[in-house]
């Protein structure tokens, strides 16, 4: 968790070994987009401590330019990013993505009425993060099952 913010600007999943099976062993592959360096480092560190693969990007532009379809199960993004917003990032990625990707909005903004996205209100606790990840995992399983594929996120 002492990783400098500039070292977090990687959109490749952190992995201990080549050939890791990610979600098959309960791990999610998560891309975190956060412009606050401290929040980015803390969040990616917490995700890694929970046993997930986590990569960080300090802006939506960095995330978009490095995003690889199928490399991540979950995108956690702030909405109020400078430049391209988190919402615009999600729209851009979903237009071109063919693989399932669940989105968690981590923001200080209140959830808009009628919005049923996974919302992680800042500041959040580790338990809140875990609950949001479980919601994302369940949604991914439903998506994969409805596609007639294995009910596991990675590569479903």
């Amino acid at each position: 968790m002492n990783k400098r913010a500039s070292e977090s600007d990687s959109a490749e999943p952190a992995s201990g070994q080549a050939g890791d099976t990610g979600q098959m062993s309960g791990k999610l592959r998560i891309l975190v987009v956060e412009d606050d360096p401290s929040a980015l480092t803390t969040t990616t560190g917490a995700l890694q401590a929970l046993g997930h693969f986590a990569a960080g990007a300090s802006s939506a532009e960095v995330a978009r330019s490095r995003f690889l379809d199928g490399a991540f199960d979950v995108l956690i993004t702030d909405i109020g990013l400078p430049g391209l917003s988190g919402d615009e990032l999600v729209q851009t990625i979903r237009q071109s993505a063919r693989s399932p990707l669940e989105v968690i909005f981590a923001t200080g903004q209140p959830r808009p009425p009628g919005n049923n996205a996974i919302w992680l209100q800042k500041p959040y606790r580790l338990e809140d993060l875990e609950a949001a990840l479980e919601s994302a995992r369940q949604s991914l399983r439903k998506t994969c099952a409805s596609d007639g594929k294995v009910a596991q996120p990675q590569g479903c």
Side-chain angles (χ1 to χ4, degrees):
M1 288 214 315
N2 291 333
K3 190 190 290 188
R4 289 181 297 152
S6 63
E7 293 174 346
S8 294
D9 274 344
S10 169
E12 296 179 27
S15 172
Q17 301 174 350
D20 277 343
T21 57
Q23 180 54 27
M24 299 305 280
S25 61
K27 295 174 180 16
L28 291 168
R29 299 165 305 159
I30 304 165
L31 175 59
V32 180
V33 185
E34 172 60 63
D35 61 317
D36 179 312
S38 177
L40 179 60
T41 300
T42 300
T43 303
T44 55
L47 292 167
Q48 290 168 352
L50 290 171
H52 301 291
F53 300 117
S58 60
S59 71
E61 291 81 5
V62 169
R64 183 181 61 188
S65 70
R66 296 182 183 172
F67 184 82
L68 300 172
D69 189 28
F72 299 99
D73 302 307
V74 177
L75 170 66
I76 299 176
T77 184
D78 191 355
I79 292 179
L81 298 166
L84 190 67
S85 74
D87 192 44
E88 292 167 325
L89 170 66
V90 170
Q91 290 175 18
T92 300
I93 288 174
R94 285 201 167 145
Q95 287 174 357
S96 61
R98 293 184 306 237
S99 300
L101 177 72
E102 193 58 42
V103 175
I104 298 171
F105 289 106
T107 181
Q109 300 176 19
R111 180 194 307 258
N115 184 317
N116 58 357
I118 301 173
W119 209 263
L120 191 55
Q121 184 76 39
K122 290 180 184 177
Y124 52 85
R125 301 168 304 160
L126 185 59
E127 296 80 19
D128 301 326
L129 178 59
E130 288 177 301
L133 291 171
E134 185 55 33
S135 293
R137 179 181 283 119
Q138 293 301 320
S139 181
L140 285 165
R141 285 184 178 142
K142 288 177 187 174
T143 299
C144 292
S146 69
D147 288 345
K149 299 175 182 173
V150 177
Q152 295 289 336
Q154 183 178 11
C156 45

